[in-house]
């Protein structure tokens, strides 16, 4: 599953990247405020190249991702996409389904694909592409909330997760895509608190959603899922808050 998911997201992001204007490539990505669109693409390509070559010293660290950007900062988009195409099959082969519960290229690419689309003002991708990763992130949320009162979570398609201990004391209804993005630390405390909670959640519950820690800056919310790929003007947000990987 991970291999196929990564191959698919690599194809979608590559197609998007080659359609961008020069101005769009220089836009800041609100979810990763240290990076432009071009730099985020450089990280994705660098991660694949490192996985394919076994260059994994410091994997997932800030220094590891920064090296991807620095080594490819001046490479044109077409060169980045060509490198990703060359390294892709070897990177695909590095993925096995037992890696889904830990850091992996497919989860990283799914997260950053949404980062890019939100930066460019594009609709979210179809749910089938990210649903398995939502299940994993809800598992992690359950672990973080295991010593708290239970929150019973419902999404718009009737899926349900119970996170915490004891009988449900809090209920939450929100979109599965928003749950995924919050779990990747891509929604602010304020945005999470604005969901449909009964009763209002505790601060601990809100801050538990972000796998990379809570963030302060609001993020752009995309339109509903669609297969559309034509870029639209981005919602520009000042680069503040943590730079989640």
């Amino acid at each position: 599953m991970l291999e196929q998911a990564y191959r698919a997201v690599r194809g979608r992001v590559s197609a998007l990247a080659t359609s961008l204007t020069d101005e769009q490539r220089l836009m800041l990505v609100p979810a990763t405020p240290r990076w432009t669109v071009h730099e985020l693409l450089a990280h994705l390509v660098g991660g694949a190249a490192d996985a394919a070559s076994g260059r994994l010293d410091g994997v997932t660290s800030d220094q590891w991702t920064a090296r991807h950007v620095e080594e490819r900062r001046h490479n044109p988009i077409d060169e980045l996409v060509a490198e990703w195409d060359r390294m892709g099959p070897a990177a695909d082969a590095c993925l096995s389904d037992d890696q889904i519960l830990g850091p992996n290229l497919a989860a990283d690419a799914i997260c950053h694909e949404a980062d890019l689309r939100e930066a460019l003002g594009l609709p979210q991708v179809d749910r089938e592409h990210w649903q398995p990763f939502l299940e994993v992130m809800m598992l992690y949320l359950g672990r973080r909330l295991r010593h708290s009162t239970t929150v019973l979570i419902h999404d718009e398609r009737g899926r349900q997760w119970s996170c915490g201990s004891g009988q449900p004391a809090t209920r939450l209804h929100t979109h599965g895509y928003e749950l995924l993005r919050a779990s990747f630390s891509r929604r602010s405390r304020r945005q999470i608190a604005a969901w449909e909670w009964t009763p209002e959640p505790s601060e601990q519950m809100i801050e538990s959603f972000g796998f990379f820690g809570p963030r302060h800056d609001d993020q752009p919310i995309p339109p509903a899922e669609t297969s559309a790929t034509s870029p639209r003007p981005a919602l520009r947000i000042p680069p503040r808050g943590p730079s989640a990987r």
Side-chain angles (χ1 to χ4, degrees):
M1 188 277 291
L2 281 183
E3 180 179 348
Q4 290 84 355
Y6 182 64
R7 186 181 303 115
V9 69
R10 181 160 49 84
R12 293 193 303 272
V13 173
S14 293
L16 174 60
T18 56
S19 74
L20 300 178
T21 66
D22 290 340
E23 180 183 7
Q24 288 169 323
R25 294 167 187 169
L26 294 176
M27 285 179 173
L28 289 175
V29 179
T32 57
R34 292 176 302 174
W35 290 341
T36 63
V37 167
H38 186 281
E39 289 167 339
L40 179 48
L41 292 167
H43 157 59
L44 288 171
V45 176
D50 280 2
S53 65
R55 190 182 179 186
L56 300 177
D57 291 344
V59 63
T60 75
S61 68
D62 289 344
Q63 293 77 17
W64 186 70
T65 58
R67 177 172 54 76
H68 300 156
V69 174
E70 191 58 36
E71 290 176 348
R72 295 166 178 81
R73 187 180 303 281
H74 303 295
N75 293 16
I77 291 290
D78 288 348
E79 288 185 15
L80 291 177
V81 171
E83 182 183 5
W84 210 3
D85 284 344
R86 290 195 306 272
M87 297 297 178
D92 295 345
C94 293
L95 290 166
S96 61
D97 287 353
D98 59 1
Q99 294 174 296
I100 195 168
L101 294 179
N104 62 77
L105 286 176
D108 188 58
I110 287 288
C111 178
H112 287 316
E113 177 185 28
D115 293 344
L116 288 170
R117 295 184 70 86
E118 289 178 5
L120 294 163
L122 292 172
Q124 59 188 257
V125 297
D126 292 342
R127 185 169 182 141
E128 64 183 276
H129 300 306
W130 49 262
Q131 177 66 45
F133 301 94
L134 173 60
E135 300 295 340
V136 172
M137 299 310 286
M138 289 296 95
L139 175 63
Y140 281 123
L141 177 63
R143 292 176 181 176
R144 291 194 294 278
L145 290 173
R146 65 187 180 277
H147 299 306
S148 75
T149 57
T150 296
V151 55
L152 185 62
I153 303 172
H154 297 266
D155 74 2
E156 83 289 0
R157 294 198 176 180
R159 295 200 62 83
Q160 178 176 301
W161 300 269
S162 180
C163 301
S165 58
Q167 292 299 313
T170 306
R171 295 179 182 273
L172 168 64
H173 291 264
T174 194
H175 197 289
Y177 178 84
E178 289 302 295
L179 289 171
L180 179 72
R181 297 299 284 158
S183 296
F184 278 120
S185 296
R186 264 58 179 183
R187 293 294 180 261
S188 69
R189 289 184 178 96
R190 190 198 67 80
Q191 288 175 307
I192 295 171
W195 292 344
E196 187 181 339
W197 296 90
T198 308
E200 291 185 4
S202 66
E203 191 68 20
Q204 176 200 6
M205 196 168 287
I206 291 173
E207 294 193 351
S208 295
F209 269 86
F211 183 82
F212 299 108
R215 72 181 305 143
H216 307 286
D217 54 328
D218 290 353
Q219 294 294 295
I221 307 296
E225 60 195 45
T226 178
S227 58
T229 57
S230 299
R232 299 202 311 269
L235 172 61
R236 297 180 181 274
I237 294 181
R240 300 175 298 165
S243 53
R245 299 186 187 94

